mmCIF file of all heavy atoms in Angstrom:
data_model
loop_
_atom_site.group_PDB
_atom_site.id
_atom_site.type_symbol
_atom_site.label_atom_id
_atom_site.label_comp_id
_atom_site.label_asym_id
_atom_site.label_seq_id
_atom_site.Cartn_x
_atom_site.Cartn_y
_atom_site.Cartn_z
ATOM 1 N N SER A 323 -11.949 -11.121 -6.483
ATOM 2 C CA SER A 323 -13.056 -11.498 -5.605
ATOM 3 C C SER A 323 -12.562 -11.732 -4.186
ATOM 4 O O SER A 323 -13.287 -11.492 -3.223
ATOM 5 C CB SER A 323 -13.832 -12.690 -6.176
ATOM 6 O OG SER A 323 -13.210 -13.892 -5.867
ATOM 7 N N ILE A 324 -11.332 -12.149 -4.042
ATOM 8 C CA ILE A 324 -10.768 -12.240 -2.689
ATOM 9 C C ILE A 324 -10.791 -10.857 -2.047
ATOM 10 O O ILE A 324 -11.239 -10.677 -0.908
ATOM 11 C CB ILE A 324 -9.321 -12.776 -2.727
ATOM 12 C CG1 ILE A 324 -9.317 -14.249 -3.143
ATOM 13 C CG2 ILE A 324 -8.643 -12.597 -1.367
ATOM 14 C CD1 ILE A 324 -7.924 -14.817 -3.402
ATOM 15 N N ALA A 325 -10.341 -9.880 -2.802
ATOM 16 C CA ALA A 325 -10.284 -8.513 -2.282
ATOM 17 C C ALA A 325 -11.684 -8.004 -1.946
ATOM 18 O O ALA A 325 -11.928 -7.440 -0.880
ATOM 19 C CB ALA A 325 -9.623 -7.594 -3.303
ATOM 20 N N ARG A 326 -12.585 -8.228 -2.863
ATOM 21 C CA ARG A 326 -13.949 -7.742 -2.663
ATOM 22 C C ARG A 326 -14.589 -8.379 -1.426
ATOM 23 O O ARG A 326 -15.173 -7.697 -0.586
ATOM 24 C CB ARG A 326 -14.781 -8.048 -3.913
ATOM 25 C CG ARG A 326 -16.146 -7.418 -3.929
ATOM 26 C CD ARG A 326 -16.806 -7.539 -5.303
ATOM 27 N NE ARG A 326 -16.453 -8.748 -6.018
ATOM 28 C CZ ARG A 326 -16.876 -9.976 -5.717
ATOM 29 N NH1 ARG A 326 -17.684 -10.165 -4.686
ATOM 30 N NH2 ARG A 326 -16.474 -11.019 -6.428
ATOM 31 N N MET A 327 -14.427 -9.677 -1.293
ATOM 32 C CA MET A 327 -15.042 -10.355 -0.155
ATOM 33 C C MET A 327 -14.401 -9.935 1.154
ATOM 34 O O MET A 327 -15.083 -9.827 2.182
ATOM 35 C CB MET A 327 -14.947 -11.870 -0.358
ATOM 36 C CG MET A 327 -15.804 -12.332 -1.540
ATOM 37 S SD MET A 327 -16.039 -14.118 -1.629
ATOM 38 C CE MET A 327 -14.405 -14.659 -2.081
ATOM 39 N N ALA A 328 -13.114 -9.692 1.123
ATOM 40 C CA ALA A 328 -12.433 -9.261 2.349
ATOM 41 C C ALA A 328 -12.980 -7.913 2.814
ATOM 42 O O ALA A 328 -13.314 -7.727 3.985
ATOM 43 C CB ALA A 328 -10.932 -9.179 2.108
ATOM 44 N N VAL A 329 -13.077 -6.995 1.878
ATOM 45 C CA VAL A 329 -13.587 -5.670 2.225
ATOM 46 C C VAL A 329 -15.032 -5.768 2.715
ATOM 47 O O VAL A 329 -15.403 -5.175 3.731
ATOM 48 C CB VAL A 329 -13.497 -4.716 1.014
ATOM 49 C CG1 VAL A 329 -14.247 -3.428 1.291
ATOM 50 C CG2 VAL A 329 -12.036 -4.419 0.694
ATOM 51 N N GLU A 330 -15.809 -6.547 2.023
ATOM 52 C CA GLU A 330 -17.210 -6.663 2.412
ATOM 53 C C GLU A 330 -17.376 -7.319 3.777
ATOM 54 O O GLU A 330 -18.275 -6.961 4.545
ATOM 55 C CB GLU A 330 -17.998 -7.432 1.345
ATOM 56 C CG GLU A 330 -18.332 -6.536 0.168
ATOM 57 C CD GLU A 330 -18.819 -7.314 -1.053
ATOM 58 O OE1 GLU A 330 -19.018 -8.539 -0.945
ATOM 59 O OE2 GLU A 330 -18.986 -6.678 -2.115
ATOM 60 N N SER A 331 -16.528 -8.250 4.068
ATOM 61 C CA SER A 331 -16.593 -8.891 5.380
ATOM 62 C C SER A 331 -16.328 -7.880 6.485
ATOM 63 O O SER A 331 -17.052 -7.822 7.480
ATOM 64 C CB SER A 331 -15.584 -10.029 5.460
ATOM 65 O OG SER A 331 -15.451 -10.464 6.795
ATOM 66 N N VAL A 332 -15.301 -7.075 6.295
ATOM 67 C CA VAL A 332 -14.980 -6.055 7.297
ATOM 68 C C VAL A 332 -16.146 -5.094 7.480
ATOM 69 O O VAL A 332 -16.582 -4.822 8.607
ATOM 70 C CB VAL A 332 -13.722 -5.260 6.895
ATOM 71 C CG1 VAL A 332 -13.587 -4.007 7.752
ATOM 72 C CG2 VAL A 332 -12.485 -6.121 7.057
ATOM 73 N N LEU A 333 -16.670 -4.634 6.380
ATOM 74 C CA LEU A 333 -17.725 -3.625 6.464
ATOM 75 C C LEU A 333 -19.014 -4.198 7.057
ATOM 76 O O LEU A 333 -19.726 -3.504 7.788
ATOM 77 C CB LEU A 333 -17.982 -3.020 5.084
ATOM 78 C CG LEU A 333 -16.798 -2.266 4.483
ATOM 79 C CD1 LEU A 333 -17.201 -1.540 3.218
ATOM 80 C CD2 LEU A 333 -16.188 -1.297 5.477
ATOM 81 N N SER A 334 -19.297 -5.449 6.750
ATOM 82 C CA SER A 334 -20.527 -6.021 7.294
ATOM 83 C C SER A 334 -20.388 -6.238 8.798
ATOM 84 O O SER A 334 -21.342 -6.095 9.547
ATOM 85 C CB SER A 334 -20.872 -7.330 6.582
ATOM 86 O OG SER A 334 -20.013 -8.357 7.011
ATOM 87 N N GLN A 335 -19.195 -6.567 9.240
ATOM 88 C CA GLN A 335 -18.976 -6.710 10.680
ATOM 89 C C GLN A 335 -19.132 -5.368 11.376
ATOM 90 O O GLN A 335 -19.581 -5.276 12.509
ATOM 91 C CB GLN A 335 -17.578 -7.255 10.962
ATOM 92 C CG GLN A 335 -17.388 -8.697 10.571
ATOM 93 C CD GLN A 335 -15.980 -9.184 10.888
ATOM 94 O OE1 GLN A 335 -15.569 -9.260 12.032
ATOM 95 N NE2 GLN A 335 -15.232 -9.500 9.849
ATOM 96 N N LEU A 336 -18.744 -4.340 10.653
ATOM 97 C CA LEU A 336 -18.831 -2.990 11.206
ATOM 98 C C LEU A 336 -20.299 -2.608 11.420
ATOM 99 O O LEU A 336 -20.645 -1.941 12.395
ATOM 100 C CB LEU A 336 -18.196 -2.038 10.203
ATOM 101 C CG LEU A 336 -17.215 -0.980 10.666
ATOM 102 C CD1 LEU A 336 -16.344 -1.468 11.794
ATOM 103 C CD2 LEU A 336 -16.367 -0.563 9.477
ATOM 104 N N ASP A 337 -21.121 -3.033 10.505
ATOM 105 C CA ASP A 337 -22.523 -2.670 10.577
ATOM 106 C C ASP A 337 -23.293 -3.558 11.536
ATOM 107 O O ASP A 337 -24.199 -3.109 12.230
ATOM 108 C CB ASP A 337 -23.168 -2.767 9.186
ATOM 109 C CG ASP A 337 -22.633 -1.684 8.263
ATOM 110 O OD1 ASP A 337 -22.245 -0.628 8.790
ATOM 111 O OD2 ASP A 337 -22.597 -1.898 7.039
ATOM 112 N N GLY A 338 -22.948 -4.824 11.536
ATOM 113 C CA GLY A 338 -23.735 -5.738 12.345
ATOM 114 C C GLY A 338 -23.029 -6.121 13.618
ATOM 115 O O GLY A 338 -22.201 -5.384 14.133
ATOM 116 N N VAL A 339 -23.357 -7.271 14.127
ATOM 117 C CA VAL A 339 -22.691 -7.766 15.326
ATOM 118 C C VAL A 339 -21.409 -8.480 14.923
ATOM 119 O O VAL A 339 -21.305 -8.978 13.803
ATOM 120 C CB VAL A 339 -23.602 -8.766 16.073
ATOM 121 C CG1 VAL A 339 -24.728 -8.020 16.738
ATOM 122 C CG2 VAL A 339 -24.130 -9.822 15.114
ATOM 123 N N PRO A 340 -20.469 -8.520 15.813
ATOM 124 C CA PRO A 340 -19.248 -9.263 15.519
ATOM 125 C C PRO A 340 -19.597 -10.732 15.285
ATOM 126 O O PRO A 340 -20.552 -11.243 15.858
ATOM 127 C CB PRO A 340 -18.419 -9.116 16.808
ATOM 128 C CG PRO A 340 -19.031 -8.001 17.563
ATOM 129 C CD PRO A 340 -20.457 -7.906 17.136
ATOM 130 N N ARG A 341 -18.843 -11.354 14.425
ATOM 131 C CA ARG A 341 -19.101 -12.763 14.149
ATOM 132 C C ARG A 341 -18.912 -13.630 15.383
ATOM 133 O O ARG A 341 -17.925 -13.522 16.088
ATOM 134 C CB ARG A 341 -18.086 -13.272 13.120
ATOM 135 C CG ARG A 341 -18.056 -12.495 11.847
ATOM 136 C CD ARG A 341 -18.407 -13.364 10.680
ATOM 137 N NE ARG A 341 -18.430 -12.555 9.469
ATOM 138 C CZ ARG A 341 -19.413 -11.716 9.177
ATOM 139 N NH1 ARG A 341 -20.449 -11.576 9.989
ATOM 140 N NH2 ARG A 341 -19.366 -11.013 8.073
ATOM 141 N N GLN A 342 -19.879 -14.498 15.611
ATOM 142 C CA GLN A 342 -19.674 -15.529 16.620
ATOM 143 C C GLN A 342 -18.988 -16.699 15.934
ATOM 144 O O GLN A 342 -18.183 -17.405 16.501
ATOM 145 C CB GLN A 342 -21.011 -15.979 17.213
ATOM 146 C CG GLN A 342 -21.712 -14.878 17.986
ATOM 147 C CD GLN A 342 -20.797 -14.243 19.020
ATOM 148 O OE1 GLN A 342 -20.128 -14.939 19.776
ATOM 149 N NE2 GLN A 342 -20.742 -12.904 19.042
ATOM 150 N N GLN A 343 -19.376 -16.863 14.708
ATOM 151 C CA GLN A 343 -18.958 -18.015 13.936
ATOM 152 C C GLN A 343 -18.112 -17.520 12.777
ATOM 153 O O GLN A 343 -18.506 -16.619 12.049
ATOM 154 C CB GLN A 343 -20.210 -18.698 13.372
ATOM 155 C CG GLN A 343 -19.961 -20.050 12.780
ATOM 156 C CD GLN A 343 -19.922 -21.105 13.876
ATOM 157 O OE1 GLN A 343 -20.710 -21.055 14.797
ATOM 158 N NE2 GLN A 343 -18.983 -22.036 13.753
ATOM 159 N N ALA A 344 -16.954 -18.078 12.650
ATOM 160 C CA ALA A 344 -16.125 -17.692 11.511
ATOM 161 C C ALA A 344 -16.752 -18.226 10.238
ATOM 162 O O ALA A 344 -17.351 -19.298 10.228
ATOM 163 C CB ALA A 344 -14.731 -18.261 11.667
ATOM 164 N N ARG A 345 -16.633 -17.460 9.199
ATOM 165 C CA ARG A 345 -17.022 -17.986 7.898
ATOM 166 C C ARG A 345 -15.750 -18.343 7.150
ATOM 167 O O ARG A 345 -14.792 -17.578 7.142
ATOM 168 C CB ARG A 345 -17.796 -16.933 7.098
ATOM 169 C CG ARG A 345 -19.173 -16.654 7.657
ATOM 170 C CD ARG A 345 -19.913 -15.699 6.762
ATOM 171 N NE ARG A 345 -19.144 -14.466 6.588
ATOM 172 C CZ ARG A 345 -19.421 -13.560 5.649
ATOM 173 N NH1 ARG A 345 -20.412 -13.759 4.805
ATOM 174 N NH2 ARG A 345 -18.695 -12.457 5.558
ATOM 175 N N ARG A 346 -15.742 -19.504 6.569
ATOM 176 C CA ARG A 346 -14.595 -19.903 5.755
ATOM 177 C C ARG A 346 -15.045 -19.770 4.304
ATOM 178 O O ARG A 346 -15.888 -20.520 3.830
ATOM 179 C CB ARG A 346 -14.199 -21.346 6.081
ATOM 180 C CG ARG A 346 -13.105 -21.897 5.220
ATOM 181 C CD ARG A 346 -12.094 -22.638 6.057
ATOM 182 N NE ARG A 346 -11.258 -21.707 6.785
ATOM 183 C CZ ARG A 346 -11.185 -21.604 8.110
ATOM 184 N NH1 ARG A 346 -11.912 -22.377 8.867
ATOM 185 N NH2 ARG A 346 -10.397 -20.704 8.663
ATOM 186 N N ILE A 347 -14.520 -18.769 3.642
ATOM 187 C CA ILE A 347 -14.983 -18.481 2.296
ATOM 188 C C ILE A 347 -13.940 -18.872 1.266
ATOM 189 O O ILE A 347 -12.775 -18.487 1.370
ATOM 190 C CB ILE A 347 -15.291 -16.975 2.155
ATOM 191 C CG1 ILE A 347 -16.247 -16.532 3.267
ATOM 192 C CG2 ILE A 347 -15.880 -16.693 0.779
ATOM 193 C CD1 ILE A 347 -16.520 -15.049 3.284
ATOM 194 N N HIS A 348 -14.373 -19.625 0.291
ATOM 195 C CA HIS A 348 -13.454 -20.005 -0.775
ATOM 196 C C HIS A 348 -13.700 -19.171 -2.025
ATOM 197 O O HIS A 348 -14.807 -19.145 -2.554
ATOM 198 C CB HIS A 348 -13.604 -21.494 -1.106
ATOM 199 C CG HIS A 348 -12.782 -22.358 -0.204
ATOM 200 N ND1 HIS A 348 -13.013 -23.696 -0.040
ATOM 201 C CD2 HIS A 348 -11.726 -22.074 0.584
ATOM 202 C CE1 HIS A 348 -12.130 -24.190 0.814
ATOM 203 N NE2 HIS A 348 -11.344 -23.230 1.207
ATOM 204 N N ALA A 349 -12.662 -18.520 -2.471
ATOM 205 C CA ALA A 349 -12.742 -17.791 -3.735
ATOM 206 C C ALA A 349 -12.404 -18.750 -4.864
ATOM 207 O O ALA A 349 -11.892 -19.846 -4.643
ATOM 208 C CB ALA A 349 -11.775 -16.620 -3.720
ATOM 209 N N GLY A 350 -12.682 -18.327 -6.062
ATOM 210 C CA GLY A 350 -12.429 -19.185 -7.208
ATOM 211 C C GLY A 350 -10.975 -19.173 -7.645
ATOM 212 O O GLY A 350 -10.181 -18.348 -7.210
ATOM 213 N N TYR A 351 -10.643 -20.128 -8.491
ATOM 214 C CA TYR A 351 -9.304 -20.160 -9.078
ATOM 215 C C TYR A 351 -9.380 -20.939 -10.374
ATOM 216 O O TYR A 351 -10.359 -21.676 -10.605
ATOM 217 C CB TYR A 351 -8.300 -20.834 -8.133
ATOM 218 C CG TYR A 351 -8.588 -22.296 -7.925
ATOM 219 C CD1 TYR A 351 -8.072 -23.263 -8.792
ATOM 220 C CD2 TYR A 351 -9.414 -22.714 -6.889
ATOM 221 C CE1 TYR A 351 -8.372 -24.607 -8.616
ATOM 222 C CE2 TYR A 351 -9.720 -24.043 -6.712
ATOM 223 C CZ TYR A 351 -9.188 -24.994 -7.567
ATOM 224 O OH TYR A 351 -9.492 -26.316 -7.407
ATOM 225 N N THR A 352 -8.373 -20.783 -11.195
ATOM 226 C CA THR A 352 -8.288 -21.597 -12.400
ATOM 227 C C THR A 352 -6.843 -22.022 -12.591
ATOM 228 O O THR A 352 -5.932 -21.380 -12.088
ATOM 229 C CB THR A 352 -8.724 -20.805 -13.657
ATOM 230 O OG1 THR A 352 -7.974 -19.588 -13.708
ATOM 231 C CG2 THR A 352 -10.201 -20.489 -13.633
ATOM 232 N N LEU A 353 -6.670 -23.112 -13.301
ATOM 233 C CA LEU A 353 -5.315 -23.511 -13.672
ATOM 234 C C LEU A 353 -5.067 -22.982 -15.076
ATOM 235 O O LEU A 353 -5.766 -23.347 -16.012
ATOM 236 C CB LEU A 353 -5.174 -25.040 -13.654
ATOM 237 C CG LEU A 353 -3.815 -25.585 -14.118
ATOM 238 C CD1 LEU A 353 -2.695 -25.149 -13.171
ATOM 239 C CD2 LEU A 353 -3.844 -27.107 -14.203
ATOM 240 N N VAL A 354 -4.100 -22.106 -15.195
ATOM 241 C CA VAL A 354 -3.811 -21.515 -16.496
ATOM 242 C C VAL A 354 -2.656 -22.265 -17.155
ATOM 243 O O VAL A 354 -1.554 -22.324 -16.609
ATOM 244 C CB VAL A 354 -3.439 -20.025 -16.348
ATOM 245 C CG1 VAL A 354 -3.202 -19.413 -17.718
ATOM 246 C CG2 VAL A 354 -4.543 -19.278 -15.621
ATOM 247 N N HIS A 355 -2.941 -22.831 -18.309
ATOM 248 C CA HIS A 355 -1.937 -23.653 -18.997
ATOM 249 C C HIS A 355 -1.021 -22.791 -19.838
ATOM 250 O O HIS A 355 -1.499 -22.039 -20.680
ATOM 251 C CB HIS A 355 -2.620 -24.675 -19.903
ATOM 252 C CG HIS A 355 -3.517 -25.617 -19.164
ATOM 253 N ND1 HIS A 355 -3.311 -26.964 -19.115
ATOM 254 C CD2 HIS A 355 -4.617 -25.389 -18.403
ATOM 255 C CE1 HIS A 355 -4.240 -27.541 -18.386
ATOM 256 N NE2 HIS A 355 -5.067 -26.601 -17.940
ATOM 257 N N ARG A 356 0.267 -22.891 -19.612
ATOM 258 C CA ARG A 356 1.223 -22.153 -20.440
ATOM 259 C C ARG A 356 2.377 -23.058 -20.846
ATOM 260 O O ARG A 356 2.307 -24.277 -20.699
ATOM 261 C CB ARG A 356 1.710 -20.913 -19.696
ATOM 262 C CG ARG A 356 0.587 -19.919 -19.393
ATOM 263 C CD ARG A 356 1.079 -18.494 -19.322
ATOM 264 N NE ARG A 356 0.001 -17.592 -18.897
ATOM 265 C CZ ARG A 356 -0.318 -17.354 -17.627
ATOM 266 N NH1 ARG A 356 0.375 -17.924 -16.650
ATOM 267 N NH2 ARG A 356 -1.311 -16.542 -17.324
ATOM 268 N N GLU A 357 3.418 -22.449 -21.353
ATOM 269 C CA GLU A 357 4.479 -23.249 -21.958
ATOM 270 C C GLU A 357 5.202 -24.187 -21.002
ATOM 271 O O GLU A 357 5.701 -25.224 -21.408
ATOM 272 C CB GLU A 357 5.525 -22.321 -22.592
ATOM 273 C CG GLU A 357 4.987 -21.544 -23.774
ATOM 274 C CD GLU A 357 5.912 -20.408 -24.165
ATOM 275 O OE1 GLU A 357 6.927 -20.191 -23.468
ATOM 276 O OE2 GLU A 357 5.629 -19.730 -25.164
ATOM 277 N N SER A 358 5.277 -23.846 -19.759
ATOM 278 C CA SER A 358 6.067 -24.660 -18.843
ATOM 279 C C SER A 358 5.488 -26.061 -18.647
ATOM 280 O O SER A 358 6.125 -26.927 -18.053
ATOM 281 C CB SER A 358 6.226 -23.961 -17.497
ATOM 282 O OG SER A 358 5.004 -23.940 -16.805
ATOM 283 N N THR A 359 4.275 -26.260 -19.164
ATOM 284 C CA THR A 359 3.750 -27.624 -19.187
ATOM 285 C C THR A 359 3.242 -28.019 -20.566
ATOM 286 O O THR A 359 2.859 -29.160 -20.778
ATOM 287 C CB THR A 359 2.583 -27.814 -18.191
ATOM 288 O OG1 THR A 359 1.533 -26.901 -18.518
ATOM 289 C CG2 THR A 359 3.030 -27.569 -16.771
ATOM 290 N N LEU A 360 3.244 -27.085 -21.479
ATOM 291 C CA LEU A 360 2.640 -27.369 -22.786
ATOM 292 C C LEU A 360 3.637 -27.484 -23.918
ATOM 293 O O LEU A 360 3.345 -28.066 -24.940
ATOM 294 C CB LEU A 360 1.659 -26.250 -23.165
ATOM 295 C CG LEU A 360 0.358 -26.193 -22.407
ATOM 296 C CD1 LEU A 360 -0.423 -24.976 -22.832
ATOM 297 C CD2 LEU A 360 -0.440 -27.467 -22.609
ATOM 298 N N GLY A 361 4.780 -26.891 -23.747
ATOM 299 C CA GLY A 361 5.705 -26.831 -24.867
ATOM 300 C C GLY A 361 5.439 -25.596 -25.682
ATOM 301 O O GLY A 361 4.349 -25.020 -25.620
ATOM 302 N N HIS A 362 6.455 -25.153 -26.396
ATOM 303 C CA HIS A 362 6.280 -23.975 -27.236
ATOM 304 C C HIS A 362 5.271 -24.267 -28.326
ATOM 305 O O HIS A 362 5.057 -25.410 -28.685
ATOM 306 C CB HIS A 362 7.617 -23.570 -27.870
ATOM 307 C CG HIS A 362 8.528 -22.891 -26.901
ATOM 308 N ND1 HIS A 362 9.174 -23.564 -25.902
ATOM 309 C CD2 HIS A 362 8.871 -21.600 -26.762
ATOM 310 C CE1 HIS A 362 9.904 -22.722 -25.193
ATOM 311 N NE2 HIS A 362 9.736 -21.514 -25.706
ATOM 312 N N ASP A 363 4.704 -23.214 -28.831
ATOM 313 C CA ASP A 363 3.685 -23.366 -29.882
ATOM 314 C C ASP A 363 4.255 -24.076 -31.091
ATOM 315 O O ASP A 363 5.301 -23.715 -31.580
ATOM 316 C CB ASP A 363 3.164 -21.986 -30.314
ATOM 317 C CG ASP A 363 2.587 -21.246 -29.128
ATOM 318 O OD1 ASP A 363 1.956 -21.897 -28.290
ATOM 319 O OD2 ASP A 363 2.799 -20.027 -29.053
#
Side-chain angles (χ1 to χ4, degrees):
Chain A
S323 83
I324 291 172
R326 189 169 33 72
M327 293 193 290
V329 170
E330 281 166 7
S331 168
V332 167
L333 297 188
S334 74
Q335 290 181 65
L336 226 36
D337 291 332
V339 287
R341 304 241 177 285
Q342 295 308 313
Q343 192 82 40
R345 290 185 304 166
R346 175 136 285 117
I347 307 175
H348 275 161
Y351 66 87
T352 53
L353 176 64
V354 182
H355 300 242
R356 297 209 186 85
E357 294 166 356
S358 70
T359 59
L360 288 176
H362 284 73
D363 302 322

